[in-house]
Amino acid sequence: SQKIEQNSEALNIQEGKTATLTCNYTNYSPAYLQWYRQDPGRGPVFLLLIRENEKEKRKERLKVTFDTTLKQSLFHITASQPADSATYLCALASNKFYFGSGTKLNVKP
Amino acid sequence: NAGVTQTPKFQVLKTGQSMTLQCAQDMNHNSMYWYRQDPGMGLRLIYYSASEGTTDKGEVPNGYNVSRLNKREFSLRLESAAPSQTSVYFCASSLTVQNIQYFGAGTRLSVL
């Protein structure tokens, strides 16, 4: 069956460090992969999209990589700030849309 | 600048009651979606509408029905609510299927 895995344990890091979140998938051939941010009590908000023929995408302090051989995407936040604390969801666009369960990031001052 | 609007924001039902969750978007998007989000389960797709006039089942459609009323509106109906349907429900829209999705603020539903 198709599956998307994100680390269910919260990631706790110190302000200023780089946060790295992982999204692994099986049995998909996604056209592309997206990352969303979700704050408590709110709907997810789109952050970045990376296509299957792209290795890396950047936007300000955010960087996403996509390895279709490993079936993995990494999401990096450099120079992290307490305001980056949230849950981050990856989503695959194949014939439909599939979301991972998300990883909660806590950035401590 | 409303984006995706969901109503109601909160609802408490008794087992067996019915209700309809409303969703409207003002971005002229073709595709609309309904998800439920439970702790530790992430977002699970209930139904989606790739374009006006079409609807398709997602991952967890049992116990739900949908109506794509027009291009702007996509409603989700619970005919006979069950405690297992206690969840947070999100509506989303995108220009087409596989594009970036824009989410509403969610409806928090409790079924007692």
Side-chain angles (χ1 to χ4, degrees):
Chain A
S1 62
Q2 298 162 327
K3 200 173 180 181
I4 303 173
E5 288 186 340
Q6 294 185 258
N7 195 342
S8 58
E9 289 184 18
L11 178 62
N12 299 305
I13 65 168
Q14 206 67 33
E15 182 176 8
K17 301 293 185 184
T18 296
T20 298
L21 307 175
T22 304
C23 177
N24 295 301
Y25 62 94
T26 58
N27 298 330
Y28 288 108
S29 295
Y32 50 79
L33 187 145
Q34 301 180 11
W35 283 87
Y36 289 76
R37 169 182 173 144
Q38 187 174 22
D39 292 287
R42 294 177 176 262
V45 175
F46 170 78
L47 295 174
L48 276 173
L49 176 155
I50 185 165
R51 292 182 170 77
E52 59 180 336
N53 60 349
E54 297 175 319
K55 296 293 186 186
E56 183 179 297
K57 202 80 169 279
R58 291 176 186 262
K59 179 182 176 182
E60 298 173 351
R61 294 185 296 112
L62 309 180
K63 184 178 85 171
V64 172
T65 62
F66 193 12
D67 189 325
T68 54
T69 301
L70 291 179
K71 294 186 182 295
Q72 181 181 78
S73 175
L74 299 178
F75 178 80
H76 307 272
I77 305 175
T78 58
S80 59
Q81 305 165 0
D84 295 327
S85 298
T87 296
Y88 292 85
L89 307 167
C90 70
L92 293 180
S94 183
N95 58 329
K96 294 180 183 176
F97 231 82
Y98 302 93
F99 277 87
S101 57
T103 298
K104 187 174 182 181
L105 174 65
N106 297 312
V107 181
K108 301 185 185 302
Chain B
N1 207 21
V4 179
T5 303
Q6 289 183 236
T7 55
K9 294 191 187 314
F10 301 94
Q11 185 71 47
V12 179
L13 294 177
K14 294 181 180 178
T15 297
Q17 286 185 318
S18 62
M19 79 160 295
T20 299
L21 281 63
Q22 306 287 353
C23 176
Q25 53 91 8
D26 63 1
M27 295 175 281
N28 201 32
H29 284 169
N30 294 297
S31 303
M32 297 185 73
Y33 313 80
W34 277 105
Y35 294 90
R36 61 177 288 173
Q37 188 173 39
D38 303 294
M41 300 291 290
L43 286 163
R44 292 185 292 170
L45 184 64
I46 304 171
Y47 272 94
Y48 70 102
S49 171
S51 60
E52 187 179 357
T54 69
T55 60
D56 284 289
K57 294 179 181 179
E59 184 183 354
V60 288
N62 291 344
Y64 305 94
N65 285 301
V66 291
S67 295
R68 182 76 183 265
L69 304 170
N70 47 55
K71 192 172 186 179
R72 290 188 64 246
E73 298 173 287
F74 189 39
S75 63
L76 178 72
R77 182 159 178 85
L78 286 69
E79 290 290 353
S80 178
S84 61
Q85 294 178 306
T86 293
S87 188
V88 180
Y89 291 84
F90 287 101
C91 176
S93 72
S94 62
L95 185 58
T96 60
V97 174
Q98 297 188 353
N99 281 142
I100 297 164
Q101 295 197 8
Y102 296 83
F103 285 81
T107 295
R108 282 140 191 86
L109 175 67
S110 292
V111 183
L112 306 177

